[in-house]
Amino acid sequence: MSVPPPSSSSSAHAASPAVPSLHDEPPVSDVPGLIPPLSRGRSTRLIGQVVVELGFAKEEAVERAVAHARESGRLTGRVLIEDGVLTPQQLARVLAERFGIERIDLTIFRIDNDLARLVDPGFVRRYDAIPVGQDDEGQLLLAMADPANMLAIDDVTMITGMAVRPVVAAYDDIHRLSVRLGNDLPDLSADDDGGDSEVDLTAVPDTDVTDLGADDAAPIIKLVNSVLKRAIRRGASDIHFDPSSEDMHVIFRVDGMLDSAVTIPRRMSVGVVSRVKVMANLDIAERRTPQDGRVSLLIDGHEIDLRVVTLPTVHGEAVVARILDSSSAPVGLEQIGMLESDRKNVEAAMARPYGGVLVTGPTGSGKSTTLYSCLAHVNNGTRTIVTVEDPVEYRMDGVKQMAINNKAKMTFAGGLKAIMRADPDIIMVGEIRDGETAHIAVEAALTGHLVLSTLHTRDAPNAVSRLLDMGVEPFLLSSAIDCVVAQRLARRLCDHCKRAVRVEQHVMHDHGFEVEGPVEIFKPGGCDRCNQTGYRGRLGIFEVLRMNEEIRELILKRSSADEIAHVAVAQGMKRLREDGCDKVLLGLTSPEEVLRVTAAG
């Protein structure tokens, strides 16, 4: 794909100030996907100043992120994304204006696949850069997340022997293109090794996990490594190895939905299962009973934990691996989708020196993520925080975290008893599963500790009934619990392809959404960034029950969950469906998604 070279006037104006208004629409290029900057030449402004001028964030949020970047020694742009201040696409726009060079939209630009394959996946991961085409002067267009990285430009010049012209792209678009173009799975039709000669998936040191060995050429090992890498880079939460009467199907769960990934020939399926079992330290000779284990891996600089479960089926052993990125930093309650009114209620409960905050919902509804967001909010160094979890999903500085170990008879109840003797201010219990744990947690909340935990219930009012069923006395429960959060996870609409539609009031009412008059909502589209699904990422839908005197009186009377819900709604509590409706009207998700995840709520 040939594109015109940059204007010769760019260098002449290198010292000129940027165009005053960066809020104007970028000029249209003759080449689809290649977007010239409004700024002319390199700007003297800092990245944070450009962010504010473009209107992407307020100055206070940018200053916090910049300070965070300085403390951690990381790039400001990447911290702005991790802190939720910018999206990768917004950062690309900021950098284009900051350096006065063109920005490229890799979902529109016609990629030269042969040029893109001139560099290996390791180069792309190391530099966040990939060649995408040539201009009319024969210069290689190098899409870069960081156009100031001269090492990347020098290396690609040596690799290709071509003059390089950098253009700015979003880093997630760069890696998505690399995965799409790269042969990241071995040739499954071959009996020996093939494809994916570079395997960088390695076991984390000092664990009980078998070392995967980066240069092991065994085809089964290379295949399993490649499947794991592909799943992790696609953001999958689970990997299913499902045997059938013919072949084995590998299925990823991405944003809560199953997505078929690859088919493994039957002759290789037993070897694949055995490899995963070896990694998880399971008995490969035992195929008649379920087993579970774990493995810690290091991929792309991230420490990943896999929780592995095997299931004997009529077609052979099935394997399910849950992916936990233990090095990911917990985000704030706002980032997970909690609106201001609910967030203030939860934060008010956490500001108390004692009491209980419960997060409820079914398996896979994001309860642990919300708990960690709560911990991040209270983890300010002024109070001692101790947790007991199964497993430790995220590792947090300043928090003493213990993991459940059933083989060593380390249970939630046992861990909680030990914590009570360790001078804690805040206690987090991964899950209240039984009466003993419930009683200890309630007593801790009554004796001067802030207790955070999860519970499996349908909604917030039913958490009260569940704890009463576990044998907790009403007079203890009414005094101990301050706040109950019920939640679900809905898929977030892709910002790049969602489309606005106008819907009449009666149509929304027919589907359970209370709105006034016709409303504008958004529907899913489909693009490369969201894998043509129309959705990208997930957000929480919440129901927050704050305890007050009237609710506590109902608990003392052992009133039903419906009675508690009726009073709470009269006092302003939004049900799950109502919170979902608010997020539909904000353009964050679709009505179909809200109906899907709240149908049982």
Side-chain angles (χ1 to χ4, degrees):
M1 176 71 188
S2 294
V3 298
S7 170
S8 58
S9 63
S10 297
S11 58
H13 293 276
S16 302
V19 175
S21 176
L22 292 181
H23 298 283
D24 298 338
E25 286 296 319
V28 178
S29 168
D30 293 334
V31 180
L34 200 62
I35 307 161
L38 288 169
S39 303
R40 304 184 66 183
R42 188 184 182 103
S43 170
T44 57
R45 293 164 301 169
L46 300 175
I47 286 179
Q49 293 174 302
V50 180
V51 172
V52 175
E53 288 182 38
L54 285 168
F56 289 155
K58 294 182 179 179
E59 188 173 353
E60 298 78 17
V62 173
E63 288 176 352
R64 286 195 299 269
V66 170
H68 185 190
R70 287 173 179 164
E71 291 171 3
S72 60
R74 292 182 295 153
L75 293 174
T76 301
R78 191 57 62 90
V79 174
L80 285 165
I81 292 174
E82 292 176 358
D83 287 0
V85 178
L86 294 180
T87 67
Q89 286 69 37
Q90 288 174 329
L91 176 62
R93 171 84 190 276
V94 168
L95 293 175
E97 300 299 341
R98 166 73 173 83
F99 293 102
I101 63 176
E102 290 162 306
R103 174 167 52 99
I104 190 167
D105 186 339
L106 297 180
T107 65
I108 300 174
F109 187 82
R110 185 180 298 174
I111 306 297
D112 187 323
N113 294 349
D114 292 333
L115 289 175
R117 291 190 176 103
L118 288 176
V119 298
D120 59 41
F123 175 93
V124 180
R125 290 192 296 274
R126 186 162 58 251
Y127 292 124
D128 293 334
I130 189 169
V132 292
Q134 281 180 282
D135 64 17
D136 286 344
E137 294 187 351
Q139 296 180 103
L140 183 68
L141 288 174
L142 182 64
M144 306 179 67
D146 178 11
N149 190 337
M150 299 307 298
L151 285 176
I153 296 174
D154 290 344
D155 275 10
V156 83
T157 300
M158 293 180 61
I159 292 169
T160 65
M162 301 172 67
V164 174
R165 174 180 156 196
V167 290
V168 183
Y171 78 90
D172 57 346
D173 287 348
I174 290 171
H175 291 281
R176 191 177 301 108
L177 173 63
S178 176
V179 170
R180 179 166 62 85
L181 294 178
N183 184 20
D184 63 338
L185 284 173
D187 182 3
L188 301 186
S189 64
D191 287 327
D192 51 9
D193 57 21
D196 199 9
S197 58
E198 180 191 5
V199 177
D200 66 348
L201 192 64
T202 55
V204 175
D206 301 323
T207 69
D208 56 357
V209 181
T210 304
D211 191 348
L212 297 185
D215 45 7
D216 195 323
I220 293 293
I221 294 176
K222 293 171 67 177
L223 171 58
V224 171
N225 290 352
S226 298
V227 167
L228 295 178
K229 288 193 295 182
R230 175 183 281 193
I232 291 165
R233 289 171 186 157
R234 282 195 57 188
S237 60
D238 301 88
I239 311 170
H240 294 253
F241 295 86
D242 290 347
S244 67
S245 58
E246 296 179 357
D247 298 318
M248 171 175 279
H249 301 284
V250 179
I251 302 171
F252 299 157
R253 185 178 293 279
V254 181
D255 293 337
M257 306 298 286
L258 295 178
D259 183 15
S260 181
V262 69
T263 299
I264 297 175
R266 185 172 181 82
R267 59 184 168 77
M268 303 178 71
S269 60
V270 173
V272 166
V273 171
S274 296
R275 174 57 185 167
V276 176
K277 290 170 74 172
V278 166
M279 291 168 59
N281 200 25
L282 303 179
D283 184 357
I284 62 172
E286 179 55 71
R287 301 178 181 177
R288 298 166 298 175
T289 59
Q291 298 184 66
D292 63 272
R294 61 177 294 274
V295 56
S296 295
L297 310 170
L298 191 66
I299 179 170
D300 296 343
H302 288 282
E303 194 171 317
I304 304 295
D305 283 342
L306 298 182
R307 296 174 63 184
V308 178
V309 175
T310 66
L311 302 171
T313 73
V314 294
H315 295 301
E317 278 190 290
V319 177
V320 180
R322 168 150 289 190
I323 301 171
L324 304 172
D325 188 350
S326 57
S327 60
S328 296
V331 296
L333 293 171
E334 185 176 3
Q335 279 72 47
I336 64 177
M338 192 173 286
L339 300 180
E340 185 177 9
S341 59
D342 286 340
R343 191 172 70 251
K344 286 182 176 178
N345 280 328
V346 175
E347 289 176 352
M350 291 190 296
R352 291 170 56 87
Y354 57 87
V357 177
L358 298 178
V359 183
T360 74
T363 300
S365 60
K367 298 187 298 296
S368 295
T369 300
T370 300
L371 270 191
Y372 281 109
S373 297
C374 292
L375 279 186
H377 179 78
V378 298
N379 184 21
N380 54 17
T382 62
R383 293 190 281 181
T384 300
I385 305 174
V386 189
T387 75
V388 54
E389 309 169 51
D390 182 25
V392 175
E393 295 189 19
Y394 302 97
R395 297 177 185 178
M396 299 182 67
D397 292 335
V399 179
K400 301 182 182 74
Q401 296 174 273
M402 300 191 300
I404 291 299
N405 187 336
N406 290 321
K407 293 180 180 178
K409 298 183 179 180
M410 169 62 175
T411 63
F412 278 119
L416 195 47
K417 289 177 181 177
I419 290 174
M420 293 295 289
R421 298 189 291 269
D423 187 32
D425 295 305
I426 300 172
I427 300 169
M428 188 188 95
V429 185
E431 182 182 345
I432 295 177
R433 295 178 178 173
D434 52 54
E436 184 181 8
T437 306
H439 278 91
I440 300 172
V442 166
E443 289 172 5
L446 290 171
T447 54
H449 306 89
L450 177 63
V451 178
L452 311 177
S453 189
T454 69
L455 197 64
H456 282 264
T457 66
R458 187 183 65 180
D459 56 19
N462 270 285
V464 174
S465 301
R466 176 84 173 119
L467 290 171
L468 291 174
D469 291 342
M470 287 183 175
V472 179
E473 293 296 334
F475 69 91
L476 295 176
L477 185 58
S478 64
S479 302
I481 305 300
D482 284 319
C483 181
V484 182
V485 181
Q487 70 176 76
R488 302 288 189 275
L489 283 180
R491 289 183 294 172
R492 186 187 293 267
L493 285 167
C494 176
D495 288 331
H496 301 279
C497 63
K498 65 183 181 183
R499 50 188 176 85
V501 296
R502 187 176 177 83
V503 181
E504 296 298 326
Q505 180 180 8
H506 71 89
V507 176
M508 295 293 285
H509 282 189
D510 290 346
H511 289 84
F513 297 103
E514 297 298 325
V515 297
E516 295 297 329
V519 293
E520 183 181 80
I521 64 172
F522 286 86
K523 292 280 191 173
C527 65
D528 287 345
R529 287 194 177 101
C530 60
N531 200 28
Q532 305 301 326
T533 64
Y535 298 96
R536 190 175 178 203
R538 290 192 285 180
L539 78 161
I541 294 177
F542 299 95
E543 175 179 284
V544 178
L545 172 65
R546 278 301 306 274
M547 297 296 175
N548 55 33
E549 290 305 316
E550 194 170 353
I551 299 292
R552 295 185 197 279
E553 286 293 329
L554 292 175
I555 295 173
L556 288 171
K557 297 175 183 177
R558 292 183 176 266
S559 299
S560 68
D562 290 339
E563 292 176 276
I564 293 173
H566 179 76
V567 172
V569 169
Q571 294 175 348
M573 183 185 82
K574 288 189 298 185
R575 303 310 303 263
L576 289 165
R577 181 72 57 85
E578 293 176 78
D579 189 57
C581 182
D582 288 344
K583 282 155 188 172
V584 168
L585 298 178
L586 289 171
L588 300 176
T589 189
S590 67
E592 293 84 359
E593 269 299 288
V594 175
L595 291 172
R596 181 180 68 85
V597 301
T598 63

mmCIF file of all heavy atoms in Angstrom, residues 31 45 75 93 123-124 156 159 171 229 293 305 441 444 545 554 572:
data_model
loop_
_atom_site.group_PDB
_atom_site.id
_atom_site.type_symbol
_atom_site.label_atom_id
_atom_site.label_comp_id
_atom_site.label_asym_id
_atom_site.label_seq_id
_atom_site.Cartn_x
_atom_site.Cartn_y
_atom_site.Cartn_z
ATOM 1 N N VAL A 31 -5.440 8.858 1.987
ATOM 2 C CA VAL A 31 -5.292 7.424 2.256
ATOM 3 C C VAL A 31 -6.196 7.042 3.416
ATOM 4 O O VAL A 31 -6.023 7.559 4.526
ATOM 5 C CB VAL A 31 -3.824 7.073 2.577
ATOM 6 C CG1 VAL A 31 -3.687 5.585 2.857
ATOM 7 C CG2 VAL A 31 -2.919 7.509 1.446
ATOM 8 N N ARG A 45 4.799 21.229 24.095
ATOM 9 C CA ARG A 45 3.895 20.911 25.201
ATOM 10 C C ARG A 45 4.128 19.491 25.712
ATOM 11 O O ARG A 45 4.525 18.602 24.957
ATOM 12 C CB ARG A 45 2.445 21.052 24.754
ATOM 13 C CG ARG A 45 2.040 22.478 24.451
ATOM 14 C CD ARG A 45 0.770 22.495 23.657
ATOM 15 N NE ARG A 45 0.948 21.769 22.402
ATOM 16 C CZ ARG A 45 -0.038 21.434 21.583
ATOM 17 N NH1 ARG A 45 -1.266 21.737 21.904
ATOM 18 N NH2 ARG A 45 0.201 20.791 20.461
ATOM 19 N N LEU A 75 6.088 4.847 31.628
ATOM 20 C CA LEU A 75 5.710 5.859 30.658
ATOM 21 C C LEU A 75 4.398 6.519 31.068
ATOM 22 O O LEU A 75 3.452 5.840 31.463
ATOM 23 C CB LEU A 75 5.562 5.233 29.260
ATOM 24 C CG LEU A 75 6.852 4.703 28.618
ATOM 25 C CD1 LEU A 75 6.521 3.987 27.314
ATOM 26 C CD2 LEU A 75 7.824 5.845 28.350
ATOM 27 N N ARG A 93 -3.985 9.684 19.530
ATOM 28 C CA ARG A 93 -4.290 11.042 19.051
ATOM 29 C C ARG A 93 -3.412 12.064 19.780
ATOM 30 O O ARG A 93 -2.880 13.004 19.167
ATOM 31 C CB ARG A 93 -5.774 11.339 19.290
ATOM 32 C CG ARG A 93 -6.189 12.784 19.049
ATOM 33 C CD ARG A 93 -6.493 13.090 17.617
ATOM 34 N NE ARG A 93 -6.654 14.522 17.388
ATOM 35 C CZ ARG A 93 -7.783 15.202 17.590
ATOM 36 N NH1 ARG A 93 -8.863 14.568 18.021
ATOM 37 N NH2 ARG A 93 -7.834 16.496 17.319
ATOM 38 N N PHE A 123 9.502 -8.833 18.392
ATOM 39 C CA PHE A 123 9.764 -7.422 18.108
ATOM 40 C C PHE A 123 8.532 -6.580 18.435
ATOM 41 O O PHE A 123 8.627 -5.520 19.052
ATOM 42 C CB PHE A 123 10.144 -7.263 16.630
ATOM 43 C CG PHE A 123 10.331 -5.831 16.191
ATOM 44 C CD1 PHE A 123 11.584 -5.241 16.216
ATOM 45 C CD2 PHE A 123 9.245 -5.070 15.754
ATOM 46 C CE1 PHE A 123 11.753 -3.913 15.822
ATOM 47 C CE2 PHE A 123 9.404 -3.750 15.365
ATOM 48 C CZ PHE A 123 10.677 -3.176 15.398
ATOM 49 N N VAL A 124 7.353 -7.061 18.019
ATOM 50 C CA VAL A 124 6.118 -6.311 18.249
ATOM 51 C C VAL A 124 5.867 -6.144 19.738
ATOM 52 O O VAL A 124 5.513 -5.065 20.215
ATOM 53 C CB VAL A 124 4.928 -7.007 17.562
ATOM 54 C CG1 VAL A 124 3.640 -6.226 17.812
ATOM 55 C CG2 VAL A 124 5.178 -7.149 16.069
ATOM 56 N N VAL A 156 14.299 -1.841 13.320
ATOM 57 C CA VAL A 156 13.547 -2.225 12.127
ATOM 58 C C VAL A 156 14.291 -1.792 10.864
ATOM 59 O O VAL A 156 14.178 -2.431 9.804
ATOM 60 C CB VAL A 156 12.116 -1.645 12.182
ATOM 61 C CG1 VAL A 156 12.059 -0.209 11.703
ATOM 62 C CG2 VAL A 156 11.154 -2.492 11.356
ATOM 63 N N ILE A 159 16.716 -4.627 10.405
ATOM 64 C CA ILE A 159 16.037 -5.858 10.005
ATOM 65 C C ILE A 159 15.621 -5.813 8.544
ATOM 66 O O ILE A 159 15.766 -6.787 7.796
ATOM 67 C CB ILE A 159 14.805 -6.102 10.907
ATOM 68 C CG1 ILE A 159 15.244 -6.421 12.343
ATOM 69 C CG2 ILE A 159 13.935 -7.242 10.361
ATOM 70 C CD1 ILE A 159 14.099 -6.422 13.341
ATOM 71 N N TYR A 171 -1.661 1.061 20.858
ATOM 72 C CA TYR A 171 -0.855 -0.131 21.099
ATOM 73 C C TYR A 171 -1.682 -1.417 21.062
ATOM 74 O O TYR A 171 -1.196 -2.457 20.635
ATOM 75 C CB TYR A 171 -0.068 -0.017 22.414
ATOM 76 C CG TYR A 171 -0.856 -0.275 23.664
ATOM 77 C CD1 TYR A 171 -0.958 -1.543 24.202
ATOM 78 C CD2 TYR A 171 -1.480 0.769 24.345
ATOM 79 C CE1 TYR A 171 -1.679 -1.774 25.361
ATOM 80 C CE2 TYR A 171 -2.193 0.552 25.496
ATOM 81 C CZ TYR A 171 -2.292 -0.714 26.001
ATOM 82 O OH TYR A 171 -3.007 -0.951 27.143
ATOM 83 N N LYS A 229 -1.038 -18.562 25.192
ATOM 84 C CA LYS A 229 -0.660 -17.194 24.838
ATOM 85 C C LYS A 229 -1.784 -16.489 24.093
ATOM 86 O O LYS A 229 -2.093 -15.327 24.355
ATOM 87 C CB LYS A 229 0.609 -17.203 23.989
ATOM 88 C CG LYS A 229 1.867 -17.541 24.756
ATOM 89 C CD LYS A 229 3.108 -17.233 23.961
ATOM 90 C CE LYS A 229 3.227 -18.109 22.726
ATOM 91 N NZ LYS A 229 4.470 -17.839 21.983
ATOM 92 N N GLY A 293 -5.930 -28.173 40.082
ATOM 93 C CA GLY A 293 -4.594 -27.699 40.442
ATOM 94 C C GLY A 293 -4.393 -26.301 39.914
ATOM 95 O O GLY A 293 -5.324 -25.646 39.458
ATOM 96 N N ASP A 305 -1.822 -16.653 36.743
ATOM 97 C CA ASP A 305 -2.169 -17.893 37.429
ATOM 98 C C ASP A 305 -3.276 -18.588 36.650
ATOM 99 O O ASP A 305 -4.251 -17.957 36.235
ATOM 100 C CB ASP A 305 -2.661 -17.618 38.856
ATOM 101 C CG ASP A 305 -1.522 -17.313 39.810
ATOM 102 O OD1 ASP A 305 -0.374 -17.642 39.454
ATOM 103 O OD2 ASP A 305 -1.772 -16.748 40.877
ATOM 104 N N ALA A 441 -17.113 -13.827 60.866
ATOM 105 C CA ALA A 441 -17.084 -12.555 60.141
ATOM 106 C C ALA A 441 -18.006 -11.540 60.804
ATOM 107 O O ALA A 441 -17.639 -10.360 60.967
ATOM 108 C CB ALA A 441 -17.490 -12.772 58.685
ATOM 109 N N ALA A 444 -16.467 -10.327 63.990
ATOM 110 C CA ALA A 444 -15.362 -9.398 63.710
ATOM 111 C C ALA A 444 -15.896 -8.014 63.394
ATOM 112 O O ALA A 444 -15.340 -6.991 63.835
ATOM 113 C CB ALA A 444 -14.523 -9.923 62.544
ATOM 114 N N LEU A 545 -27.640 -1.828 48.714
ATOM 115 C CA LEU A 545 -28.563 -1.753 49.853
ATOM 116 C C LEU A 545 -27.810 -1.205 51.059
ATOM 117 O O LEU A 545 -26.913 -1.859 51.595
ATOM 118 C CB LEU A 545 -29.118 -3.149 50.160
ATOM 119 C CG LEU A 545 -29.944 -3.297 51.438
ATOM 120 C CD1 LEU A 545 -31.227 -2.472 51.335
ATOM 121 C CD2 LEU A 545 -30.272 -4.772 51.697
ATOM 122 N N LEU A 554 -36.592 -4.586 60.170
ATOM 123 C CA LEU A 554 -37.109 -5.704 59.368
ATOM 124 C C LEU A 554 -36.265 -6.955 59.551
ATOM 125 O O LEU A 554 -36.786 -8.071 59.588
ATOM 126 C CB LEU A 554 -37.147 -5.304 57.883
ATOM 127 C CG LEU A 554 -38.168 -4.229 57.491
ATOM 128 C CD1 LEU A 554 -37.993 -3.846 56.020
ATOM 129 C CD2 LEU A 554 -39.593 -4.729 57.738
ATOM 130 N N GLY A 572 -35.035 4.687 47.942
ATOM 131 C CA GLY A 572 -34.121 5.151 46.889
ATOM 132 C C GLY A 572 -33.194 4.118 46.308
ATOM 133 O O GLY A 572 -32.388 4.445 45.424
#
